């Protein structure tokens, strides 16, 4: 069994750089850990909740390892634990991972490997792109915000806390950047996984019909609106076996996992076997309203567009309980007329409720989340007061469909911003050898799109809020102060400036340096800032919905 502090800070850094392939992400993890359990705090308990327990960090860890403090108590005691201060179900998974590897739950190596496992599982099993976004982060600040909001999901997501953690992350970047030497690229997660296999192969053959999974998905796709099962990723359960050449044999310690996988496949078979008839009944009883349904599964109702697809839905049943609710137009108008800073605050409030399990689509389209959505929004201190007042008086399900209408209404993306975004997409499609439609359905492309759009949004937002639009854009346009700013961001900002100048028939220099043009510049950039913030927020829906919204914006009219 491992000792507790079995990695130095330098070793943690080296491991994270090896795992992410991005020093910005490694710094972000260390900076956020400093604000949680600490970079050497693998046995740290959440102090304010552990006061009445009567155990030190070491005693608590030893009791959990020995079983004298039982698993149920460890999971349910509400005490954040370890470097990331895991709680609840995630704490249970940490404990199970430790048991499977015969390691202490307080081992630093174990916890770093578990961090890697969570990020891989989120992407492979739930379709969440936290890992990809961290790998592709273009700055320490960007990586720190991604990790803080979407992995740690900490209670305080204020701009002040975001900046504070980014500064802590910068310290680690300055301390360790460039210090990792090339060597063994095997990550801790790979080592833990290989150690848990026991290294013994059996000659017992297991007959698994992998190809039939494709038929299952195809059959389902033909039945309902073209929705695919990519987010379920059933076939990926078997990928490690296929890639390692052990598809016809099994490793004893994997027998239980294979039984669970077989059970899942059987469950999917049973769902699909009955779903066709169920969907026909739903079609007959629930879609008899004045509206249109597209072949992609999107439908329009009372002038508003919706998507039938949703990831992370906690139920296998089709949820149509919100279809006949009226949208609160007062709220839509109030949001559309917010000043810039309040609009950005509102949109960031929406993204802040997203977790590794729930996308915005889940919150907006599944009635089981109606009360949760309202409660989460009401608890956000930065939410504009007039919007909070409207929300407090709204029925939770009405709130859902209203916000769904908002996130699918792309009118905020006006002509200049749309033109710049389209040029970027066209360039990305060309470099990826994809058509525009293919690009907007490609998973890795969507990750790149929302990463770059978010980066432009951050540049514009900071300039507008700090009232430094002209000077910031002049620096970017002239090639100055570009540290940690990606090439795509620079290109989009430069094109935006050129489009704004061309529309007024003036030079870029005149636009950015003459006071007579300052109001026009600020108004144009504010308009663009809202557009890029909106598109960035689309990335917090599930990938099917995000693809549909982008397609509606950029392939029509």
């Amino acid at each position: 069994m491992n000792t507790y502090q079995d990695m130095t800070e330098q070793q943690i850094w080296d491991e994270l750089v090896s795992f992410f392939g991005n020093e910005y992400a490694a710094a972000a993890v260390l900076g956020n850990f400093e604000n949680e359990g600490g970079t050497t705090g693998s046995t740290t308990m959440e102090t304010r909740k552990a006061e009445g327990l009567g155990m030190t960090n070491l005693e608590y860890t030893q009791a959990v390892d020995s079983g004298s403090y039982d698993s149920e108590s460890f999971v349910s005691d509400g005490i954040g634990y370890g470097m990331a201060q895991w709680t609840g179900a995630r704490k249970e998974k940490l404990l199970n991972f430790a048991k499977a590897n015969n390691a202490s739950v307080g081992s630093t190596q174990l916890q770093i490997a578990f961090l890697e496992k969570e990020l891989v599982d989120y992407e492979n099993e739930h379709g969440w792109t936290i890992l990809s976004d961290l790998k592709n982060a273009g700055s320490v600040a960007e990586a720190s915000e991604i990790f803080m909001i979407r992995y740690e999901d900490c209670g305080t997501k204020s701009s002040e806390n975001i900046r504070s953690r980014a500064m802590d992350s910068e310290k680690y970047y300055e301390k360790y950047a460039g210090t990792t030497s090339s060597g063994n690229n095997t990550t801790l997660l790979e080592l833990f996984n290989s150690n848990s296999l026991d290294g013994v192969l059996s000659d017992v053959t297991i007959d698994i019909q992998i190809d039939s999974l494709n038929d299952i998905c195809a059959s389902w796709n033909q039945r309902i609106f073209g929705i695919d099962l990519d987010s379920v990723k059933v076939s990926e359960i078997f990928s490690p076996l296929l890639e390692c050449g052990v598809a016809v044999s099994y490793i004893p310690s994997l027998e239980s996992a294979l039984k669970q996988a077989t059970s899942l496949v059987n469950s999917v078979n049973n769902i699909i076997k009955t779903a066709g008839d169920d969907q026909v009944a739903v079609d007959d009883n629930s879609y008899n309203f004045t509206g249109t349904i597209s072949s992609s599964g999107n439908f329009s109702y009372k002038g508003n567009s919706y998507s039938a697809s949703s990831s992370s839905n906690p139920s296998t049943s089709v949820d149509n309980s919100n279809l006949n609710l009226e949208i609160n137009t007062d709220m839509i108008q109030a949001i559309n007329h917010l000043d810039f800073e309040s609009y950005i605050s509102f949109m960031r409030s929406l993204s802040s409720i997203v977790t590794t399990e729930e996308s915005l689509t889940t919150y907006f389209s599944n009635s089981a989340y109606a009360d949760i959505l309202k409660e989460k929004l009401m608890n956000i201190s930065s939410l504009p007061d007039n919007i909070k007042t409207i929300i407090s008086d709204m029925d939770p399900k009405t709130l859902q469909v209203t916000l769904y209408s908002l996130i699918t209404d792309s009118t905020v993306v006006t002509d200049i911003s749309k033109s710049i975004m389209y040029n970027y997409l066209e360039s990305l499609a060309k470099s990826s050898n994809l058509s525009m439609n293919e690009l907007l359905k490609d998973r890795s492309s969507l990750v790149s799109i929302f990463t770059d759009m978010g980066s432009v949004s951050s540049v514009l937002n900071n300039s507008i809020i700090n009232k430094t639009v002209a000077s910031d854009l002049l620096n970017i346009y002239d090639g100055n102060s570009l540290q940690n700013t990606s090439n795509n961001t620079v290109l989009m900002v430069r094109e935006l400036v050129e489009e704004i100048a061309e529309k007024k028939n003036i030079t870029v220099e005149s636009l950015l340096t003459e006071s007579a043009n300052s109001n026009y510049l600020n108004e144009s950039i504010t308009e663009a800032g809202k557009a890029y913030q909106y598109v960035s927020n689309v990335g917090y829906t599930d990938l099917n919905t995000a693809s549909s919204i982008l397609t509606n914006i950029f392939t029509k009219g």
Side-chain angles (χ1 to χ4, degrees), residues 154-298:
C154 61
T156 304
K157 300 183 180 70
S158 65
S159 57
E160 181 180 352
N161 196 25
I162 291 173
R163 284 194 298 270
S164 175
R165 291 200 179 203
M167 290 175 63
D168 289 334
S169 300
E170 287 282 2
K171 289 189 305 184
Y172 288 100
Y173 183 77
E174 292 173 3
K175 182 177 181 180
Y176 291 114
T179 64
T180 303
S181 58
S182 59
N184 184 10
N185 291 323
T186 303
T187 65
L188 277 174
L189 178 59
E190 292 168 334
L191 289 173
F192 271 86
N193 283 341
S194 64
N195 288 341
S196 67
L197 301 182
D198 298 332
V200 181
L201 289 174
S202 166
D203 60 359
V204 177
T205 297
I206 294 179
D207 183 16
I208 302 175
Q209 299 298 322
I210 304 294
D211 291 341
S212 67
L213 293 174
N214 294 327
D215 296 333
I216 290 171
C217 292
S219 174
W220 173 259
N221 293 344
Q222 292 168 8
R223 290 294 185 120
I224 56 165
F225 297 148
I227 301 171
D228 62 42
L229 292 181
D230 282 349
S231 61
V232 179
K233 296 188 178 301
V234 178
S235 62
E236 287 194 10
I237 294 170
F238 302 101
S239 295
L241 295 178
L242 294 171
E243 292 169 2
C244 295
V246 292
V248 295
S249 298
Y250 80 99
I251 298 166
S253 59
L254 284 181
E255 183 176 12
S256 175
L258 282 172
K259 286 179 180 178
Q260 293 176 20
T262 303
S263 175
L264 175 58
V265 173
N266 289 335
S267 297
V268 173
N269 264 309
N270 291 333
I271 291 170
I272 292 169
K273 184 177 179 181
T274 59
D277 292 338
D278 291 345
Q279 188 64 35
V280 169
V282 169
D283 291 344
D284 291 341
N285 296 325
S286 299
Y287 290 122
N288 292 323
F289 60 86
T290 303
T292 58
I293 302 177
S294 71
S295 59
S296 65
N298 302 318

Side-chain angles (χ1 to χ4, degrees), residues 46-60:
E46 188 176 2
T47 305
R48 63 185 181 85
K49 292 186 178 180
E51 290 175 350
L53 197 61
M55 285 192 280
T56 65
N57 291 335
L58 181 60
E59 290 169 341
Y60 182 74

Side-chain angles (χ1 to χ4, degrees), residues 135-148:
K135 287 182 175 181
N136 293 306
S139 69
V140 173
E142 180 186 353
S144 178
E145 184 170 354
I146 290 170
F147 193 80
M148 169 186 161

Side-chain angles (χ1 to χ4, degrees), residues 328-346:
N328 187 322
T329 55
D330 288 341
M331 181 177 185
I332 297 293
Q333 290 178 5
I335 293 168
N336 288 337
H337 289 89
L338 286 172
D339 63 83
F340 180 79
E341 193 162 356
S342 296
Y343 179 84
I344 299 303
S345 178
F346 172 76

Side-chain angles (χ1 to χ4, degrees), residues 342-404:
S342 296
Y343 179 84
I344 299 303
S345 178
F346 172 76
M347 296 302 279
R348 286 177 173 172
S349 295
L350 290 184
S351 62
S352 72
I353 68 174
V354 173
T355 70
T356 54
E357 303 293 334
E358 296 94 4
S359 68
L360 283 181
T361 310
T362 305
Y363 282 117
F364 295 167
S365 64
N366 190 311
S367 60
Y369 283 86
D371 292 325
I372 299 172
L373 170 64
K374 182 173 181 178
E375 181 182 359
K376 280 182 174 285
L377 290 178
M378 290 300 294
N379 286 333
I380 296 174
S381 58
S382 59
L383 194 69
D385 290 339
N386 59 332
I387 301 300
K388 186 172 287 189
T389 299
I390 294 174
I391 290 175
S392 67
D393 295 332
M394 286 179 70
D395 172 77
K397 291 185 179 179
T398 301
L399 175 62
Q400 281 188 304
V401 296
T402 299
L403 292 180
Y404 208 161

Side-chain angles (χ1 to χ4, degrees), residues 467-532:
K467 302 185 186 306
T468 54
V469 171
S471 59
D472 288 351
L473 296 188
L474 185 61
N475 278 332
I476 290 178
Y477 196 81
D478 288 345
N480 301 319
S481 302
L482 300 183
Q483 186 177 6
N484 297 332
T485 305
S486 70
N487 290 334
N488 285 333
T489 300
V490 172
L491 289 174
M492 276 190 274
V493 172
R494 284 177 174 168
E495 285 187 30
L496 180 62
V497 171
E498 290 169 354
E499 285 277 347
I500 292 171
E502 183 178 343
K503 185 178 180 181
K504 195 171 175 64
N505 196 28
I506 57 178
T507 65
V508 170
E509 182 180 5
S510 174
L511 175 70
L512 298 179
T513 61
E514 295 180 8
S515 59
N517 296 317
S518 61
N519 286 340
Y520 170 68
L521 172 64
N522 289 333
E523 289 171 1
S524 300
I525 292 299
T526 297
E527 182 181 271
K530 283 191 174 184
Y532 276 96

